[in-house]
Amino acid sequence: MGDVVEMILGLILGAILMYWFFSLFRKKRNREITEQQSTVILNKIRSVCKLVSVEGDFAEIYHYENTKDSFMSLFKSKKKALIVIKAKAHIGYDLNKLNLKADNDGKRIILSHFPEPEVLSIEPELQFYDIKNGIFNSFSPTDLTNLNQEAKEHIKRKIPESGLMETARKEALQAVLVVEKIVETIGWKLDYSALEISNQEKQTIEESV
């Protein structure tokens, strides 16, 4: 009789130990999967990298003039041109600058900071008019490369007064919603309660959900 009791107690103890080991393994496995999910979603957001929210077209007339001294400054040779710059500027957000943190227990991605809009790219197209080469100073392929860079800088200086940055700031909400949709692809939630968002914007978010 005593042997039977010991055997039953042994079976019960073994079952308890097996259940304990199984629960421990399952918790560890779930934690690993959750941590892997958070890593995947954070990398997925950053892989989007730069998000264009506003596109602007520019048309500017640029007067270019260059004077070169020749023969020990005895002669001055001037080249000049009238350049029409047509450019497309893209304003948006670098998602690598987001402050993101994963809450594995609550399956949340916490967004605590959203960056300011910036110029992501400028694509200029130059059209030359009234080109005048100097005797010892003519346009070269290097000049065209430099002029292309100067055109970008010229358009970049025009962007602040164009209103594109302010428009991009108003589109920041849509950028947040894009990030939210990415997070939801694996069943997680985006927590952006730390961001300063107006009541009107909050209402827009609620209507978009």
Side-chain angles (χ1 to χ4, degrees):
M1 184 70 177
D3 292 339
V4 174
V5 172
E6 288 179 1
M7 183 177 68
I8 293 173
L9 289 175
L11 290 172
I12 293 173
L13 181 60
I16 291 173
L17 288 173
M18 287 182 64
Y19 177 77
W20 182 78
F21 279 118
F22 176 75
S23 298
L24 186 65
F25 173 78
R26 186 173 61 182
K27 287 181 180 178
K28 182 180 179 182
R29 179 64 177 168
N30 289 340
R31 184 170 63 251
E32 288 176 351
I33 292 174
T34 302
E35 290 175 354
Q36 185 179 15
Q37 282 181 328
S38 64
T39 301
V40 168
I41 195 63
L42 288 173
N43 289 337
K44 191 173 181 180
I45 292 170
R46 293 191 175 98
S47 69
V48 176
C49 192
K50 295 180 180 180
L51 182 65
V52 176
S53 60
V54 177
E55 183 179 276
D57 293 311
F58 291 82
E60 294 284 330
I61 296 176
Y62 186 64
H63 294 271
Y64 175 80
E65 186 174 300
N66 175 269
T67 302
K68 180 180 179 182
D69 292 336
S70 303
F71 299 104
M72 299 180 65
S73 300
L74 294 176
F75 299 98
K76 293 184 182 294
S77 185
K78 182 185 294 185
K79 62 184 174 185
K80 60 182 181 178
L82 183 65
I83 306 170
V84 174
I85 305 172
K86 293 183 178 179
K88 194 175 292 294
H90 296 115
I91 314 298
Y93 299 91
D94 186 349
L95 299 188
N96 281 314
K97 296 180 180 179
L98 294 176
N99 281 355
L100 296 169
K101 185 175 68 175
D103 173 15
N104 293 327
D105 294 333
K107 287 197 172 185
R108 297 181 304 156
I109 296 295
I110 302 170
L111 173 58
S112 58
H113 169 73
F114 201 82
E116 285 291 307
E118 59 187 79
V119 179
L120 299 180
S121 68
I122 297 176
E123 302 169 4
E125 178 185 337
L126 307 185
Q127 296 177 347
F128 291 82
Y129 297 92
D130 195 23
I131 299 175
K132 293 181 180 178
N133 289 309
I135 298 175
F136 304 105
N137 188 12
S138 58
F139 284 95
S140 66
T142 302
D143 288 327
L144 298 180
T145 301
N146 293 338
L147 280 170
N148 197 63
Q149 184 60 39
E150 285 185 31
K152 287 184 178 182
E153 293 300 322
H154 179 73
I155 296 299
K156 193 172 183 179
R157 290 192 293 268
K158 294 288 183 179
I159 288 176
E161 63 190 54
S162 69
L164 287 177
M165 287 298 187
E166 186 60 33
T167 302
R169 287 188 182 92
K170 293 178 181 178
E171 294 293 327
L173 173 60
Q174 296 303 318
V176 172
L177 293 178
V178 168
V179 175
E180 184 176 43
K181 294 301 180 185
I182 295 174
V183 172
E184 289 176 350
T185 58
I186 63 167
W188 284 46
K189 295 289 185 181
L190 178 68
D191 182 352
Y192 44 84
S193 58
L195 298 181
E196 294 183 4
I197 301 176
S198 66
N199 291 330
Q200 183 177 357
E201 288 175 327
K202 288 179 180 178
Q203 182 179 356
T204 305
I205 290 176
E206 293 172 355
E207 291 174 353
S208 301
V209 175

